[in-house]
Amino acid sequence: LMRWTSLMAVGVWTRLAEAHLPAWLSGQPLRPLIPYFGFALFNVNVAVCLIAAIPLGFLFQTIPPTYARLRHVYCLTLGLAFHFICFRFAMAHVLLFASACYAIMAVLQNSRWMRWIVFVTCFANLYHRMEYRSNTDEIDVIGALMILLEKMTSLAFAIHDGRFPKERHRFIAQYVVREFPSPLEFYSYVYFYPTCLNQGPHIFFARYKAFIHGLGPRAPIRASIRPVAAKIAGSIALLLMVRIPRVMSWPESHEAGPVNDPDFVANHSFFIRWLYMFCAFWHIRYLFYASWVPVDAAVNAAGFGFEGYDASGRALWDGCTNAKILAVEYPLNDKHCMDGWHIQTSNWLKFLVYYRTEARFGRVPAMIAARSLLGFWHGLDPRFLSIWLSLIIVNLASPAMRFNVRPFVLGNRFLHRCYDFLTFAAVHFNGTYMYHPFLHKNFADALLAWSNIYFSAHLVSLAVALALPWRRQAAWLTRLLVRLRGPEALQHVRPLGWGEGNAQPPTAWMRYALGLDGPHGGDRPAAQPGQAGAAAADAAAADAAAGANGAPANGAPANGVPANEAQDDVVPAGLGTDPTGEQPDEQPAGEQPDSGQPDVGALGLRRRIGARAERDD
């Protein structure tokens, strides 16, 4: 019903526009700019809106937070204007979709089924729109609907969490909505002008409302000028890099066909075929960067995304960043790469699926659920599902290599650098291979492309995941390590997580949302040189608040796991930290490792590892 209603509304509005509105409104006034940008008309419209959003953002910061209603009207008006410029009357799809979800949440706000009804409604509407788009040349509004789906589902779950309170993970607790939003607040959130177009990114309602009212981390207007200028310069550089393939005659993201050409496969080696795929995927990655960085600049210009200060007093403006380019392009392992890609969508998956599933079923089922939802969010096309399900194998093989091989190279600088280079190359090989279906139009072509490089990444990752334990180092490798490097090498064998520092320190926003700081938690640097005592006090307060919201305080056990490595503080690969950590074996009461000749048997090694981990913790 919602689908056909929206289609009829768009058709009626378009006919009325063609009959009664001026040509500059019903037509496409930005078409003359196409030669200057070199993109399609829709992309030109988006680029013009993002350019305009930067000065409009600085103007927004001049409105005092005491005029919250005026701030809401400002964001709503600009968002509607941007939607009309980019989507014309197809903007009715977004408006009707958001209105239907708001009606469901308002009527069923006290029902435990409300969040699931909104969830199913959102995905059903998105799939209908994707089906309709595949048969028409209408302006592409799918990206905006995908971002709106994230906003509606996160808001529905946040309202449910506020209506039915219980102990929750601190990541979920920071975004709980306890007061149902008014229509003005809701539509202002939907149409927040820097994030309402196809690029997003997703933001949580609790943080947006605090931002409108001037609560949470804040910075003066002049403090946002420098990061905005840096991101504008980065956007220009990325746009130039996107044009490199045309200048150098490299394959672009839409030119994946020759990989499946029999003549190309017969006349080129495995390495050349993979290199061609790498160049095509390189192009699509930089297209995403070039669309995300300008949005980040526009969001920062409005004052949103401030995350306080680092230890040196430098302001952090990555609260709405969607990609950390250096982490993706120069990763040391698979986790670092995934942590830097589609960050805000990863936060949505953590909030909606991962932490809720992990609390009941464990890390691996939570990782599978998050990957599956990410595939369904991209559509019902088997290409996307195959990508995210294949990444599960990589997520198991990566920590298996890290736990079993990395201890052999630690302590030797040359071997450690060689290991880092090999993992860097492996991450790029796997990324180019696993994400290649994005470049094809159907699943059959994607399978053919994988077969032309012999399903190599699938087979290698599966072999590693099956041959090596991915939760701890294999006992026979630990014995070999002791014989080669002595018992002191056991300090590098960690049975939990990725190693040191699994616990993620709370951000300035999290400290405010959990009640650790005042109304402006980011006004004060977190730790300046010479203020170690204050930093320790902040850390203690953060641990105490984490315990109050379902995460144990530092040093207190949670299900037998120390707090800094408990499952409440461990985030999955690609969504934070490693999903494959396991609780260490319990130390038998009154039993201590031998102090004489080292015992290299399996039981002795387990005792030594457990004692070492306990002392480190």
Side-chain angles (χ1 to χ4, degrees):
L1 178 63
M2 186 161 50
R3 173 195 179 188
W4 288 110
T5 303
S6 61
L7 293 180
M8 290 176 62
V10 171
V12 172
W13 287 16
T14 304
R15 289 181 180 275
L16 291 175
E18 292 174 351
H20 301 287
L21 289 180
W24 68 273
L25 276 178
S26 60
Q28 300 165 336
L30 297 180
R31 185 176 291 276
L33 297 179
I34 291 179
Y36 299 97
F37 283 90
F39 298 123
L41 177 62
F42 175 77
N43 294 327
V44 172
N45 293 337
V46 172
V48 170
C49 289
L50 292 178
I51 293 172
I54 293 175
L56 291 172
F58 287 115
L59 179 62
F60 172 83
Q61 291 196 60
T62 63
I63 304 176
T66 53
Y67 294 91
R69 186 177 295 272
L70 178 59
R71 283 186 152 208
H72 281 303
V73 172
Y74 185 91
C75 294
L76 175 58
T77 304
L78 288 180
L80 289 171
F82 285 0
H83 266 226
F84 182 78
I85 292 173
C86 295
F87 306 126
R88 297 178 62 206
F89 294 98
M91 64 181 286
H93 294 299
V94 176
L95 180 60
L96 293 174
F97 181 25
S99 300
C101 291
Y102 184 74
I104 294 172
M105 287 186 279
V107 173
L108 302 176
Q109 57 182 290
N110 294 319
S111 171
R112 293 184 179 272
W113 290 95
M114 179 269 291
R115 53 177 177 167
W116 297 115
I117 294 174
V118 172
F119 182 89
V120 173
T121 301
C122 290
F123 274 92
N125 180 72
L126 180 64
Y127 292 155
H128 279 303
R129 289 299 307 141
M130 287 181 173
E131 178 187 357
Y132 181 76
R133 179 188 64 171
S134 63
N135 298 320
T136 67
D137 295 323
E138 190 184 359
I139 295 175
D140 187 11
V141 73
I142 297 299
L145 290 176
M146 294 173 71
I147 299 301
L148 184 60
L149 180 147
E150 293 184 3
K151 289 184 177 181
M152 294 299 97
T153 51
S154 65
L155 178 58
F157 274 70
I159 293 173
H160 173 272
D161 296 338
R163 289 290 188 272
F164 304 97
K166 66 176 183 179
E167 288 189 358
R168 303 184 188 278
H169 187 276
R170 66 179 184 179
F171 187 89
I172 297 176
Q174 65 179 325
Y175 297 122
V176 169
V177 175
R178 294 180 175 84
E179 184 178 337
F180 193 81
S182 67
L184 180 60
E185 291 174 336
F186 174 80
Y187 286 106
S188 172
Y189 168 64
V190 169
Y191 286 101
F192 181 45
Y193 61 95
T195 66
C196 66
L197 300 177
N198 284 7
Q199 292 80 5
H202 166 261
I203 57 176
F204 288 95
F205 178 80
R207 182 157 190 179
Y208 173 74
K209 184 178 180 180
F211 160 72
I212 290 294
H213 289 270
L215 302 175
R218 289 180 58 192
I221 297 178
R222 63 181 181 276
S224 61
I225 296 177
R226 186 170 184 177
V228 170
K231 290 172 182 178
I232 292 175
S235 304
I236 296 173
L238 288 168
L239 287 173
L240 294 176
M241 295 185 72
V242 168
R243 314 300 285 179
I244 287 178
R246 296 186 181 182
V247 177
M248 303 294 293
S249 299
W250 289 357
E252 298 188 35
S253 58
H254 59 277
E255 296 176 351
V259 177
N260 292 339
D261 183 19
D263 294 335
F264 180 85
V265 174
N267 297 326
H268 295 84
S269 65
F270 173 88
F271 176 75
I272 297 299
R273 279 176 262 162
W274 177 84
L275 186 62
Y276 192 97
M277 294 170 62
F278 175 82
C279 292
F281 186 62
W282 177 92
H283 183 252
I284 197 172
R285 282 203 313 274
Y286 275 80
L287 285 175
F288 276 100
Y289 298 151
S291 64
W292 284 340
V293 175
V295 174
D296 199 11
V299 170
N300 293 160
F304 192 83
F306 178 64
E307 283 288 357
Y309 301 86
D310 62 8
S312 62
R314 183 175 61 92
L316 302 175
W317 286 88
D318 56 356
C320 206
T321 300
N322 220 11
K324 296 180 180 179
I325 300 178
L326 293 180
V328 177
E329 296 299 322
Y330 303 101
L332 292 180
N333 54 55
D334 182 69
K335 179 186 76 71
H336 288 166
C337 180
M338 291 187 175
D339 285 352
W341 181 259
H342 236 314
I343 298 172
Q344 303 309 319
T345 297
S346 296
N347 289 337
W348 170 68
L349 290 171
K350 294 178 195 176
F351 177 82
L352 209 69
V353 177
Y354 181 79
Y355 286 122
R356 301 172 194 271
T357 307
E358 181 197 35
R360 297 187 62 182
F361 303 105
R363 292 187 181 93
V364 175
M367 179 187 67
I368 295 174
R371 293 287 177 216
S372 302
L373 180 61
L374 189 58
F376 286 119
W377 178 71
H378 283 86
L380 289 176
D381 196 316
R383 291 176 301 154
F384 305 136
L385 295 177
S386 66
I387 292 172
W388 308 117
L389 294 178
S390 298
L391 287 175
I392 294 175
I393 304 175
V394 177
N395 291 156
L396 297 179
S398 180
M401 288 293 293
R402 185 175 181 85
F403 290 146
N404 290 276
V405 177
R406 188 169 179 267
F408 286 91
V409 303
L410 294 179
N412 187 311
R413 185 178 180 85
F414 174 75
L415 291 179
H416 197 177
R417 292 293 173 264
C418 292
Y419 175 85
D420 289 342
F421 176 78
L422 291 176
T423 54
F424 164 80
V427 169
H428 274 291
F429 178 85
N430 281 335
T432 299
Y433 173 92
M434 292 295 182
Y435 290 98
H436 194 67
F438 268 120
L439 310 183
H440 294 277
K441 294 182 178 180
N442 56 68
F443 185 55
D445 289 343
L447 279 181
L448 182 59
W450 276 347
S451 67
N452 287 333
I453 51 177
Y454 315 119
F455 294 99
S456 49
H458 276 107
L459 296 177
V460 172
S461 298
L462 186 61
V464 171
L466 293 177
L468 298 175
W470 44 266
R471 299 182 179 185
R472 63 178 76 244
Q473 190 178 42
W476 66 273
L477 285 175
T478 306
R479 289 194 292 269
L480 178 62
L481 178 65
V482 171
R483 290 195 178 99
L484 291 177
R485 301 185 56 189
E488 64 276 3
L490 289 176
Q491 64 181 322
H492 301 306
V493 179
R494 298 284 293 171
L496 277 169
W498 285 104
E500 303 295 337
N502 277 339
Q504 298 295 323
T507 62
W509 160 255
M510 185 181 289
R511 290 198 300 271
Y512 160 74
L514 299 181
L516 301 179
D517 286 341
H520 310 303
D523 290 347
R524 174 173 52 85
Q528 293 288 355
Q531 295 180 348
D538 288 344
D543 289 332
N549 288 278
N554 189 21
N559 299 325
V561 187
N564 64 335
E565 291 177 344
Q567 66 176 9
D568 278 352
D569 289 324
V570 178
V571 186
L575 307 176
T577 50
D578 175 43
T580 58
E582 187 190 31
Q583 301 175 13
D585 292 340
E586 294 184 2
Q587 185 75 14
E591 195 168 355
Q592 300 295 333
D594 298 333
S595 58
Q597 187 70 17
D599 181 4
V600 296
L603 180 59
L605 287 173
R606 288 180 183 273
R607 292 173 182 170
R608 291 176 62 83
I609 293 172
R612 173 76 67 176
E614 186 176 353
R615 289 199 301 273
D616 290 346
D617 294 336

